[in-house]
Amino acid sequence: MSRHTIALAQINPALGDLERNLALHEKTAEEAIRRGASLLVFPELSLTGYFLKDLVSSVALPMTSPILGRLRDLSQRIDLVVGLVEESSEHLFYNAAIYLSMGEIQHVHRKVYLPTYGIFDEQRYLAEGGQIRTFRARVGRSAILICEDMWHPSAAYVASIDGMEILISPSASPGRGGLEEGKSFANARAWETINRAYAQLFTCYVLFANRVGYEDGACFWGGSEVITPSGEPVAKAEYLSEEILVVEIDPAEVRRARTVNPLLRDERLDVTLRELERVRREGVR
């Protein structure tokens, strides 16, 4: 199994400006290619910005969009994970991330869990995704979970059972909890705990690509990182500043982790399904 050089694009997209953001994607991809990366992961809603509200319908893209055609062309040279508002054939709008490779869209993940609390209001403007699937990527069998999806362990569990070796998490996480001198935001520390726990529990790589910049008074904190299947950080981007984080990952690390900790081997899917069905049927006692 060969090693792979991957890049995380910790960028600051412009709210609602598709052309400007597309140019930023192309520029970032050229730099990642120059630095030897075979996969480049952009943050959540990287083509549009996050706090879109009533702009959702005006920036939504069908899969046949010429903008995505330019990214398809680019994916002949480097695999891409890109965040966008996807418009379905039924004219529903999804917070989505697409995986492009060899000129094709290989996988689409529609965000399953739409936060609608605090400063978040996604359910008012977007439709919920209803699937969690893994797919065969150049770096290994992968799953994409977008931001809030990661705060629901069931999503990562389903992906793990479906063969996940690489967990890709495009995110747009605003800082919460106060930024004390010499410390990160409280929710940044929580994210770092989740990333390390999932990597170790599901014996997979975690590729966390978070954005930076300000929108609607919110500060996106960055801190993109790559975590090994043993739960150890390989590389981490700075907080608050734009950066292209380039790192080498080794698929053999998945094998090593699963040899030492055969958690996936010992998983009792029959018990899980039976007990979930019981709780669904009977409710919580």
Side-chain angles (χ1 to χ4, degrees):
M1 293 183 287
S2 60
R3 294 170 177 263
H4 302 281
T5 301
I6 63 101
L8 306 182
Q10 187 165 289
I11 60 170
N12 178 17
L15 184 64
D17 193 335
L18 286 168
E19 280 298 327
R20 179 177 172 184
N21 292 331
L22 178 58
L24 177 58
H25 281 61
E26 292 171 331
K27 177 183 176 182
T28 304
E30 291 295 340
E31 174 64 16
I33 292 168
R34 188 187 68 79
R35 296 173 64 182
S38 59
L39 167 64
L40 174 59
V41 181
F42 286 93
E44 177 182 15
L45 294 176
S46 57
L47 277 174
T48 64
Y50 181 75
F51 288 109
L52 291 161
K53 300 180 182 179
D54 293 332
L55 291 175
V56 161
S57 61
S58 64
V59 299
L61 299 173
M63 291 294 102
T64 55
S65 166
I67 286 179
L68 298 186
R70 284 166 62 179
L71 292 172
R72 282 190 180 94
D73 292 343
L74 189 57
S75 76
Q76 296 279 10
R77 302 167 59 208
I78 185 171
D79 289 7
L80 301 168
V81 176
V82 174
L84 72 157
V85 177
E86 176 206 356
E87 181 172 355
S88 73
S89 58
E90 301 85 13
H91 308 296
L92 299 177
F93 306 117
Y94 295 93
N95 181 338
I98 56 176
Y99 190 101
L100 303 104
S101 179
M102 303 300 293
E104 299 293 337
I105 296 173
Q106 304 284 358
H107 179 74
V108 179
H109 175 71
R110 295 169 170 173
K111 191 175 183 179
V112 174
Y113 294 99
L114 303 180
T116 305
Y117 57 85
I119 63 174
F120 304 110
D121 202 14
E122 289 190 36
Q123 283 189 3
R124 182 177 177 184
Y125 303 99
L126 297 160
E128 296 175 331
Q131 293 185 339
I132 297 167
R133 298 282 191 274
T134 58
F135 61 99
R136 182 63 61 185
R138 188 182 316 200
V139 294
R141 191 152 195 89
S142 301
I144 297 173
L145 297 179
I146 301 173
C147 207
E148 186 77 9
D149 291 342
M150 291 281 284
W151 288 77
H152 295 265
S154 55
Y157 175 77
V158 169
S160 176
I161 293 298
D162 198 32
M164 174 180 68
E165 298 169 329
I166 311 290
L167 173 52
I168 302 170
S169 179
S171 299
S173 175
R176 288 179 287 155
L179 185 62
E180 302 175 28
E181 186 175 352
K183 295 184 179 180
S184 59
F185 288 105
N187 67 317
R189 297 194 296 273
W191 263 108
E192 289 156 3
T193 298
I194 289 171
N195 291 340
R196 286 151 181 74
Y198 282 5
Q200 190 165 27
L201 284 173
F202 300 120
T203 50
C204 66
Y205 271 101
V206 173
L207 314 182
F208 172 71
N210 191 28
R211 64 161 290 185
V212 292
Y214 288 84
E215 267 185 23
D216 205 19
C219 171
F220 297 93
W221 51 271
S224 303
E225 59 183 5
V226 175
I227 312 298
T228 70
S230 61
E232 297 298 321
V234 176
K236 187 172 185 64
E238 296 292 328
Y239 297 123
L240 305 177
S241 60
E242 293 186 84
E243 184 176 346
I244 303 173
L245 184 67
V246 177
V247 62
E248 190 176 81
I249 65 173
D250 183 0
E253 288 291 336
V254 176
R255 183 180 187 274
R256 281 192 281 272
R258 293 180 180 180
T259 300
V260 174
N261 293 313
L263 303 175
L264 182 61
R265 182 200 68 188
D266 297 341
E267 186 58 42
R268 294 288 305 280
L269 184 57
D270 57 332
V271 174
T272 302
L273 291 171
R274 184 174 67 244
E275 292 304 300
L276 285 174
E277 176 57 32
R278 176 189 61 77
V279 172
R280 188 192 67 82
R281 185 177 62 251
E282 300 176 2
V284 179
R285 296 179 181 178

